[in-house]
Each structure stands twice: as C-alpha cells, then as structure tokens.
Amino acid sequence: MPKITIDGKTAEVAKGTTVLQAAQALGIVIPRYCYHPSLSISGNCRMCLVEVEKSPKLLTACSTEAADGMVVRTDSDKVKAARRDVLEYLLINHPLDCPICDQAGECGLQDYYMEHSRAKSRFPQEDKVRRQKRRALGPHLVLDNERCILCTRCVRFCSEVTKTSELEVMERGDHSYIDLKQGKALDNGYTLNLADICPVGAWTSRDFRFKQRVWFLKRTPTVCLGCATGCLMEAHHNDGVLYRLVPRPNAETNTWLCDHGRMTYKAVRAGDRLAKGVIKNGLIELEPALREAAGRIDENHPAAAVLGSPWLSVEDNAALARLAKDAIKTENFCFDFPGAQGVKDGILINEDPAPNARGARLVKDAYGGIALEELRARIVDGRVKTVVTEARAAAFVRDAVKASGARLIVFATNRADIPPAAYATLPYACYFEVPGTFVNFQGLRRRAEPSVAAPEGVRPLWALVNRLAAYSGASLHLDSAADALKEIVFK
Ligand code: SF4
Ligand code: SF4
Ligand code: FES
C-alpha cells in the first residue's frame, strides 16, 4: 500500500486512492468544484491544485493517484497563489447575482472566494460574457447559464447515474455553455439532484427558488416514505414550514433522491390536509368523529376487522394490532402485505410504492392475524361488516368492501386519500410531524423524525387508536409511540 505524506501527515492508503481522497482521510480539505465522490473524475476546474515534491508543475489532487513516498503540500504559497488565480479566472464572467441567487449561503464560489481569494476583479463588468439566464428546463429546474462554471457535474450525472445523457457542453472556450441535446427533455425522475450537485447557482429548484434563504433553514435527519427503498434524507424547515428535502448520502441505500420522493413533503401543508374528522363527506370535530367511529365498530362487534397499512409506522401498526386484539377482541386482523420489493430502475425507485411492508410484517410476527385473501373472503361473505384501516391501505380490500357493502373507517392525512366508500375518516399526524419506525426493503430499520408541528388538534395515529379503544370501554395503556413497540422484535 502506498505511503503518502500530505502537509507533514503520513498515511498508508489503498492502491488507486487519489491525493484528494488521501488528504480527506487525513482530515485535510482540498477545495474542489468538478470532483464529486459519486461521479467519474473530470479534472477540469483546477481548484484542487497541489504541490507534489519532484513535480515541476502543480497537479490536480482529484485526478492524481497517491504513490509510495509521495510528499504533497496543500498550503504552500505556490498552491495558494494558484487557487487565487483559478478563482479569478472562474469569476471573470460570473454575474454579480449573489443578492438574488438562491445558492447564496451554500455556494462554492462564495465560500472559496472568502477562504482563498478576496481579490478584487481586474475585469470590467461591461466586458463580461453574457449567457442565457432563467431558463426552465424540465418540470423541476431552472438553468442560469451565466452562473455556470462548466464543472460538468450535471453532464456526468445524466450520463453516469440516470444514463439518459440529456446534457452536453456546447461550443468552445468562453462561448461554452450547458444545454439539452437536441430532441431530449430533462425529465429523468432524478433531476433535482442537479440542483444539489451544481456547486454554484446555475441549476436551481423551481419548487424551492426564492422561498427561503438557506441560512434560516433548520435541518432534521429523517427518511423518505415515498417507496420501500427508504432513502435517508434531511428535511429543511423554518418556523414550522417545510421547504425542501435533500439526500443524506449513506453507503447502504442512497446518495441521491428521486424527484417523487423530494415532493412528498408537499402533502403536509396541502389545501386538502385534514384537521377534522369526516363522516360521510361532512367535516366534524375529532371527538364526535371518534365517538361515531367507535360506535360503528361496537355495533358490529365481533364482526369488525382491522387492516394494518404498509404506509404506517411500526408503532401505528402495532397500536392497530392492539386495537384488534385487546379492544375489539377479534381475530379479524391482517398485517400481511404481499407485493414485489426491489429497486425497479437500477437507481433507487422501488417496485413497492409503500414504505413499510416489512415493518408491518414484524407486527404480524408479534401479533399473528390472518392473510389478506382470508380477510377479503370474510368481508365478502359477511363475517366482517366493518373494516378499520389507513386510507391508502383500503385499496387492498376495495373490491370486497364494494361487493359486500361493509362499513369502512379510515385514518387519513389528506382528503385526496379518502376512498369513496369510507363511512368515517379520522385525521392523523404525518411522519414529518411525529416520529415513526420503518423497515425498508433491505430490512434496515429507519427512523422518521418530526420536523414541524401537526395542524392544531391533529394527533398521532396511535393516540387516536387509544381513544377508539377507550370509547369501546377498553384501555390499551399506550402513553407514547414507544409503548406500542413493546411486543415488536426487530431482526
Ligand atoms: S450547470 Fe452547474 S453542475 Fe452543470 S456544469 Fe455548470 S456549474 Fe457544473
Ligand atoms: S427512491 Fe423511494 S425512498 Fe428514495 S427518494 Fe425516491 S421515493 Fe423516496
Ligand atoms: S476538483 Fe480537481 S480539477 Fe476540479
């Protein structure tokens, strides 16, 4: 293994490690624009120049392999002067957009200028090369060619990650610009990653633009519930409002996020968000709605059933299992959701659009229950007359409910999710508002953490289950989400 010395610190690194990676392992940060750990090396920006003993010229750290006995300096006067020159060159034609640029606060040009340059421009503003600004490309992005530093990260992302190759560098020299290839559209399902990886404000998100200055944002680590892949991500929010979701890169599951997953936060403050109960299309306060739902369950006792949901957390599914066993005292309950799981596009998007079929199976392991087919059969032949479930999971028994006219009581966050056959709907707090445990398709336990408060009066689903049980004269002794997990064994 080659032994390399950088700024006086020595490390043994695996063959093939670059100087930039070796420095990183030693805790030395070398500035970079075009280098991205998940893309091929391009070596075009020259920001990572370092001095290597016995080399007559400075070398790019991102594309130079560490060799045995190599001695590198990242902080010499020569390196510092080169960084200043590279920045001056990159900024020559850059517009003075910082006050109105969405990237301000997390811009590679701003940060490195402050750290490595602070030089005044020697180039008259009127001589700058002008390029196209504010061009909507695809459903999610805006491209500002004037801000682009031609690092080609976006071009490489589209050719190496999505393999759709929509982008290209056009023209030569200071006429170069990024553009769509002829006949292509920028709609590959992962386009918002370009706004993340662009080191400047050339690609910005149409959804996030001008909504919030990034230095006001608070960051909460959480998990995407857009499908069974369960990508790790960060929710960015301020004053109780969610503004965007960005990836939390990790070795097990994801470096990126898909566009669908990024937009899952929209439902939280959507116009159809439920804050009250719904009985047969009419809005009523929560307590009367709970009382009515409990009354309908009692009325059909013991012909009531509980169907868990792969869209709910393990805690909320476990609370539903307790409702079936300890309050309704029925064997008509199901936490078994068949269906294909696995990445379907070779990148991230899963065959299974629900995030927690594997977590629901842990509830089945702890509490038992019947198969989905059996539940459907019991609904059709009239042994089950009322079904309690989550709104999207109601689709699993839609035809059976339609055929038998069984009563449907659902938990929902948004009006759009309520199935037409629902008799009663109870609003619950979503997993941007309350914590929840999920198990992704790989069997990895993932935690959704709350970043914003639920609308006034809206409570976690397990708490609603507690109230339903109380109305039926039973106590489930659930004082927290964690209480519901007591019987669950995580593998
Ligand atoms: S648009 Fe951004 S990511 Fe693409 S080449 Fe320009 S600076 Fe790099
Ligand atoms: S692949 Fe699935 S889990 Fe990952 S971001 Fe997209 S919807 Fe979310
Ligand atoms: S990061 Fe090394 S040349 Fe761009």
PDB file of all heavy atoms in Angstrom, residues 243-260:
ATOM      1  N   TYR A 243     -39.550  23.302   3.662  1.00  0.00           N
ATOM      2  CA  TYR A 243     -39.204  23.960   2.406  1.00  0.00           C
ATOM      3  C   TYR A 243     -38.601  23.020   1.371  1.00  0.00           C
ATOM      4  O   TYR A 243     -38.766  23.223   0.182  1.00  0.00           O
ATOM      5  CB  TYR A 243     -38.247  25.123   2.656  1.00  0.00           C
ATOM      6  CG  TYR A 243     -38.971  26.297   3.270  1.00  0.00           C
ATOM      7  CD1 TYR A 243     -38.907  26.537   4.630  1.00  0.00           C
ATOM      8  CD2 TYR A 243     -39.755  27.128   2.483  1.00  0.00           C
ATOM      9  CE1 TYR A 243     -39.590  27.603   5.192  1.00  0.00           C
ATOM     10  CE2 TYR A 243     -40.448  28.196   3.033  1.00  0.00           C
ATOM     11  CZ  TYR A 243     -40.367  28.425   4.392  1.00  0.00           C
ATOM     12  OH  TYR A 243     -41.060  29.459   4.942  1.00  0.00           O
ATOM     13  N   ARG A 244     -37.837  22.034   1.816  1.00  0.00           N
ATOM     14  CA  ARG A 244     -37.256  21.131   0.823  1.00  0.00           C
ATOM     15  C   ARG A 244     -36.735  19.877   1.515  1.00  0.00           C
ATOM     16  O   ARG A 244     -36.519  19.866   2.741  1.00  0.00           O
ATOM     17  CB  ARG A 244     -36.135  21.805   0.023  1.00  0.00           C
ATOM     18  CG  ARG A 244     -34.926  22.160   0.856  1.00  0.00           C
ATOM     19  CD  ARG A 244     -33.793  22.754   0.006  1.00  0.00           C
ATOM     20  NE  ARG A 244     -32.665  23.119   0.845  1.00  0.00           N
ATOM     21  CZ  ARG A 244     -31.564  23.714   0.425  1.00  0.00           C
ATOM     22  NH1 ARG A 244     -31.429  24.033  -0.845  1.00  0.00           N
ATOM     23  NH2 ARG A 244     -30.580  23.993   1.256  1.00  0.00           N
ATOM     24  N   LEU A 245     -36.506  18.842   0.707  1.00  0.00           N
ATOM     25  CA  LEU A 245     -35.908  17.591   1.184  1.00  0.00           C
ATOM     26  C   LEU A 245     -34.631  17.370   0.383  1.00  0.00           C
ATOM     27  O   LEU A 245     -34.631  17.522  -0.842  1.00  0.00           O
ATOM     28  CB  LEU A 245     -36.876  16.423   0.964  1.00  0.00           C
ATOM     29  CG  LEU A 245     -38.262  16.583   1.606  1.00  0.00           C
ATOM     30  CD1 LEU A 245     -39.180  15.443   1.179  1.00  0.00           C
ATOM     31  CD2 LEU A 245     -38.138  16.618   3.134  1.00  0.00           C
ATOM     32  N   VAL A 246     -33.558  17.041   1.069  1.00  0.00           N
ATOM     33  CA  VAL A 246     -32.291  16.777   0.363  1.00  0.00           C
ATOM     34  C   VAL A 246     -31.728  15.433   0.851  1.00  0.00           C
ATOM     35  O   VAL A 246     -32.041  14.992   1.960  1.00  0.00           O
ATOM     36  CB  VAL A 246     -31.244  17.908   0.587  1.00  0.00           C
ATOM     37  CG1 VAL A 246     -31.771  19.238   0.076  1.00  0.00           C
ATOM     38  CG2 VAL A 246     -30.854  18.012   2.036  1.00  0.00           C
ATOM     39  N   PRO A 247     -30.915  14.770   0.018  1.00  0.00           N
ATOM     40  CA  PRO A 247     -30.406  13.456   0.425  1.00  0.00           C
ATOM     41  C   PRO A 247     -29.432  13.524   1.595  1.00  0.00           C
ATOM     42  O   PRO A 247     -28.753  14.532   1.793  1.00  0.00           O
ATOM     43  CB  PRO A 247     -29.703  12.941  -0.837  1.00  0.00           C
ATOM     44  CG  PRO A 247     -29.530  14.102  -1.733  1.00  0.00           C
ATOM     45  CD  PRO A 247     -30.486  15.167  -1.319  1.00  0.00           C
ATOM     46  N   ARG A 248     -29.407  12.421   2.345  1.00  0.00           N
ATOM     47  CA  ARG A 248     -28.405  12.230   3.408  1.00  0.00           C
ATOM     48  C   ARG A 248     -27.596  11.034   2.932  1.00  0.00           C
ATOM     49  O   ARG A 248     -27.935   9.891   3.229  1.00  0.00           O
ATOM     50  CB  ARG A 248     -29.149  11.903   4.690  1.00  0.00           C
ATOM     51  CG  ARG A 248     -28.399  12.154   5.947  1.00  0.00           C
ATOM     52  CD  ARG A 248     -29.331  12.447   7.115  1.00  0.00           C
ATOM     53  NE  ARG A 248     -30.483  11.611   7.280  1.00  0.00           N
ATOM     54  CZ  ARG A 248     -30.600  10.606   8.152  1.00  0.00           C
ATOM     55  NH1 ARG A 248     -29.581  10.282   8.917  1.00  0.00           N
ATOM     56  NH2 ARG A 248     -31.713   9.920   8.257  1.00  0.00           N
ATOM     57  N   PRO A 249     -26.553  11.261   2.118  1.00  0.00           N
ATOM     58  CA  PRO A 249     -25.860  10.135   1.477  1.00  0.00           C
ATOM     59  C   PRO A 249     -25.358   9.110   2.488  1.00  0.00           C
ATOM     60  O   PRO A 249     -24.847   9.449   3.552  1.00  0.00           O
ATOM     61  CB  PRO A 249     -24.692  10.808   0.753  1.00  0.00           C
ATOM     62  CG  PRO A 249     -25.121  12.227   0.568  1.00  0.00           C
ATOM     63  CD  PRO A 249     -25.952  12.550   1.776  1.00  0.00           C
ATOM     64  N   ASN A 250     -25.528   7.831   2.140  1.00  0.00           N
ATOM     65  CA  ASN A 250     -25.099   6.742   3.021  1.00  0.00           C
ATOM     66  C   ASN A 250     -24.740   5.549   2.163  1.00  0.00           C
ATOM     67  O   ASN A 250     -25.231   5.404   1.043  1.00  0.00           O
ATOM     68  CB  ASN A 250     -26.220   6.382   4.005  1.00  0.00           C
ATOM     69  CG  ASN A 250     -27.475   5.934   3.301  1.00  0.00           C
ATOM     70  OD1 ASN A 250     -27.727   4.749   3.149  1.00  0.00           O
ATOM     71  ND2 ASN A 250     -28.280   6.871   2.798  1.00  0.00           N
ATOM     72  N   ALA A 251     -23.874   4.701   2.695  1.00  0.00           N
ATOM     73  CA  ALA A 251     -23.351   3.586   1.892  1.00  0.00           C
ATOM     74  C   ALA A 251     -24.411   2.517   1.645  1.00  0.00           C
ATOM     75  O   ALA A 251     -24.379   1.824   0.637  1.00  0.00           O
ATOM     76  CB  ALA A 251     -22.148   2.975   2.611  1.00  0.00           C
ATOM     77  N   GLU A 252     -25.380   2.357   2.552  1.00  0.00           N
ATOM     78  CA  GLU A 252     -26.340   1.240   2.433  1.00  0.00           C
ATOM     79  C   GLU A 252     -27.382   1.466   1.360  1.00  0.00           C
ATOM     80  O   GLU A 252     -27.747   0.543   0.645  1.00  0.00           O
ATOM     81  CB  GLU A 252     -27.096   1.014   3.754  1.00  0.00           C
ATOM     82  CG  GLU A 252     -26.257   0.579   4.925  1.00  0.00           C
ATOM     83  CD  GLU A 252     -25.556   1.751   5.595  1.00  0.00           C
ATOM     84  OE1 GLU A 252     -26.045   2.895   5.458  1.00  0.00           O
ATOM     85  OE2 GLU A 252     -24.503   1.542   6.221  1.00  0.00           O
ATOM     86  N   THR A 253     -27.910   2.693   1.253  1.00  0.00           N
ATOM     87  CA  THR A 253     -29.091   2.878   0.405  1.00  0.00           C
ATOM     88  C   THR A 253     -28.959   3.948  -0.663  1.00  0.00           C
ATOM     89  O   THR A 253     -29.179   3.679  -1.845  1.00  0.00           O
ATOM     90  CB  THR A 253     -30.331   3.202   1.285  1.00  0.00           C
ATOM     91  OG1 THR A 253     -30.379   2.259   2.349  1.00  0.00           O
ATOM     92  CG2 THR A 253     -31.615   3.121   0.477  1.00  0.00           C
ATOM     93  N   ASN A 254     -28.648   5.165  -0.277  1.00  0.00           N
ATOM     94  CA  ASN A 254     -28.763   6.227  -1.286  1.00  0.00           C
ATOM     95  C   ASN A 254     -27.725   7.331  -1.172  1.00  0.00           C
ATOM     96  O   ASN A 254     -27.326   7.733  -0.076  1.00  0.00           O
ATOM     97  CB  ASN A 254     -30.149   6.877  -1.219  1.00  0.00           C
ATOM     98  CG  ASN A 254     -30.393   7.617   0.094  1.00  0.00           C
ATOM     99  OD1 ASN A 254     -30.365   7.035   1.166  1.00  0.00           O
ATOM    100  ND2 ASN A 254     -30.619   8.910  -0.018  1.00  0.00           N
ATOM    101  N   THR A 255     -27.295   7.777  -2.359  1.00  0.00           N
ATOM    102  CA  THR A 255     -26.522   9.016  -2.473  1.00  0.00           C
ATOM    103  C   THR A 255     -27.475  10.127  -2.904  1.00  0.00           C
ATOM    104  O   THR A 255     -27.326  11.274  -2.530  1.00  0.00           O
ATOM    105  CB  THR A 255     -25.430   8.845  -3.556  1.00  0.00           C
ATOM    106  OG1 THR A 255     -24.611   7.746  -3.175  1.00  0.00           O
ATOM    107  CG2 THR A 255     -24.571  10.088  -3.705  1.00  0.00           C
ATOM    108  N   TRP A 256     -28.481   9.731  -3.712  1.00  0.00           N
ATOM    109  CA  TRP A 256     -29.381  10.706  -4.338  1.00  0.00           C
ATOM    110  C   TRP A 256     -30.784  10.549  -3.766  1.00  0.00           C
ATOM    111  O   TRP A 256     -31.050   9.651  -2.966  1.00  0.00           O
ATOM    112  CB  TRP A 256     -29.418  10.478  -5.859  1.00  0.00           C
ATOM    113  CG  TRP A 256     -28.101  10.109  -6.447  1.00  0.00           C
ATOM    114  CD1 TRP A 256     -27.705   8.870  -6.878  1.00  0.00           C
ATOM    115  CD2 TRP A 256     -26.983  10.986  -6.685  1.00  0.00           C
ATOM    116  NE1 TRP A 256     -26.424   8.923  -7.358  1.00  0.00           N
ATOM    117  CE2 TRP A 256     -25.952  10.205  -7.258  1.00  0.00           C
ATOM    118  CE3 TRP A 256     -26.749  12.353  -6.478  1.00  0.00           C
ATOM    119  CZ2 TRP A 256     -24.717  10.742  -7.614  1.00  0.00           C
ATOM    120  CZ3 TRP A 256     -25.522  12.885  -6.830  1.00  0.00           C
ATOM    121  CH2 TRP A 256     -24.527  12.083  -7.386  1.00  0.00           C
ATOM    122  N   LEU A 257     -31.719  11.375  -4.251  1.00  0.00           N
ATOM    123  CA  LEU A 257     -33.153  11.194  -4.010  1.00  0.00           C
ATOM    124  C   LEU A 257     -33.847  11.285  -5.361  1.00  0.00           C
ATOM    125  O   LEU A 257     -33.388  12.014  -6.249  1.00  0.00           O
ATOM    126  CB  LEU A 257     -33.722  12.301  -3.124  1.00  0.00           C
ATOM    127  CG  LEU A 257     -33.354  12.373  -1.647  1.00  0.00           C
ATOM    128  CD1 LEU A 257     -34.096  13.539  -0.994  1.00  0.00           C
ATOM    129  CD2 LEU A 257     -33.659  11.078  -0.915  1.00  0.00           C
ATOM    130  N   CYS A 258     -34.966  10.582  -5.512  1.00  0.00           N
ATOM    131  CA  CYS A 258     -35.725  10.747  -6.759  1.00  0.00           C
ATOM    132  C   CYS A 258     -36.641  11.968  -6.620  1.00  0.00           C
ATOM    133  O   CYS A 258     -36.908  12.438  -5.514  1.00  0.00           O
ATOM    134  CB  CYS A 258     -36.525   9.486  -7.077  1.00  0.00           C
ATOM    135  SG  CYS A 258     -37.975   9.272  -6.059  1.00  0.00           S
ATOM    136  N   ASP A 259     -37.109  12.465  -7.758  1.00  0.00           N
ATOM    137  CA  ASP A 259     -37.940  13.684  -7.735  1.00  0.00           C
ATOM    138  C   ASP A 259     -39.253  13.448  -6.997  1.00  0.00           C
ATOM    139  O   ASP A 259     -39.755  14.338  -6.295  1.00  0.00           O
ATOM    140  CB  ASP A 259     -38.227  14.163  -9.170  1.00  0.00           C
ATOM    141  CG  ASP A 259     -36.963  14.673  -9.856  1.00  0.00           C
ATOM    142  OD1 ASP A 259     -35.982  14.981  -9.145  1.00  0.00           O
ATOM    143  OD2 ASP A 259     -36.947  14.748 -11.106  1.00  0.00           O
ATOM    144  N   HIS A 260     -39.816  12.248  -7.148  1.00  0.00           N
ATOM    145  CA  HIS A 260     -41.072  11.944  -6.452  1.00  0.00           C
ATOM    146  C   HIS A 260     -40.868  12.030  -4.937  1.00  0.00           C
ATOM    147  O   HIS A 260     -41.661  12.651  -4.221  1.00  0.00           O
ATOM    148  CB  HIS A 260     -41.556  10.543  -6.857  1.00  0.00           C
ATOM    149  CG  HIS A 260     -42.596   9.980  -5.939  1.00  0.00           C
ATOM    150  ND1 HIS A 260     -43.864  10.498  -5.873  1.00  0.00           N
ATOM    151  CD2 HIS A 260     -42.543   8.979  -5.014  1.00  0.00           C
ATOM    152  CE1 HIS A 260     -44.555   9.823  -4.965  1.00  0.00           C
ATOM    153  NE2 HIS A 260     -43.777   8.901  -4.425  1.00  0.00           N
TER     154      HIS A 260
END
